[in-house]
Amino acid sequence: DGGGGAVARARYVRTEAYLRDRRGLPEGSAGAERNVGVRALWWANKLFALSDGCKPYMVDPLSLGTQKKSELGGLLRNPEDGFDAWARPDAEAGRLSQAFLEPGLPFIGGAAVAVRDFDDGFRSPGVAASVPLAKGETCVAWAATRARVAAVIRGADGLTAVVARKGGGDKPEFAVPLLLPADDDARLEVAAIADDGAATVLDVIVAGGPAPADGPEATRCWGELWRVRLEAGGAALGR
């Protein structure tokens, strides 16, 4: 406000699900307050409300009024196209990274977590890096730097951190066990990532138990913060 203060404003994103749920429901009821938008993204001088598997909604950055669904410059042309709610912007590098699942083939496998980098026009040259998934494995967290992608994989033997170099094909640079204090249903989120020579350093939030149905913890991890230094020889943990 010019005097050293701050002004906060909050509004619901008027998604199709939100408007449908509000019709005829009491103010403040669980159904009336449901909203599919889980994350705001400021990119290319525009504000987007993102939700996994859905087209983003454009939001006016001043009034926070909902404007329209966006095809992201023609990237999402088909009705069923969606965008990752946890796409990670790097304004300094002019890059927006998005992860998606390549499902592989039935009975053969070949599933992988692939990452693409987009410019401010949502143009991408293709897959920048790929982390393969064995049968029964899931990716629970990921992040990218200019040169690498790091993914945390949950499998039968616990957590594994996999680092792949961008432009390095579908073979990871290295994979090491990750001995974080995380239960089988714990949630993880990579809050920050940086390259430090041959190592990749992650700040990982570990939250216990499944996500609640509503509230801040429904979409973001609130828990212990760990610093993880990943190198080919192993993972070093710190607080």
Side-chain angles (χ1 to χ4, degrees), residues 59-74:
V59 178
D60 185 279
L62 296 178
S63 69
L64 299 186
T66 305
Q67 296 177 326
K68 63 177 182 178
K69 283 184 178 180
S70 173
E71 294 185 354
L72 302 183

Side-chain angles (χ1 to χ4, degrees), residues 93-106:
R95 180 196 69 241
L96 177 70
S97 298
Q98 179 218 25
F100 63 99
L101 178 66
E102 292 183 328
L105 299 174

Side-chain angles (χ1 to χ4, degrees), residues 186-227:
R187 292 166 293 129
L188 284 79
E189 180 180 336
V190 179
I193 182 172
D195 287 328
D196 183 11
T200 297
V201 181
L202 310 178
D203 287 340
V204 181
I205 301 171
V206 180
D214 51 29
E217 294 186 52
T219 56
R220 299 302 298 266
C221 286
W222 295 65
E224 295 183 335
L225 180 64
W226 290 82
R227 173 149 292 184

Side-chain angles (χ1 to χ4, degrees), residues 41-48 58-62 67 91 119-122:
L41 170 69
W42 177 257
W43 185 250
N45 293 319
K46 295 181 177 67
L47 182 62
F48 300 94
M58 293 181 64
V59 178
D60 185 279
L62 296 178
Q67 296 177 326
D119 62 15
D120 57 8
F122 292 99

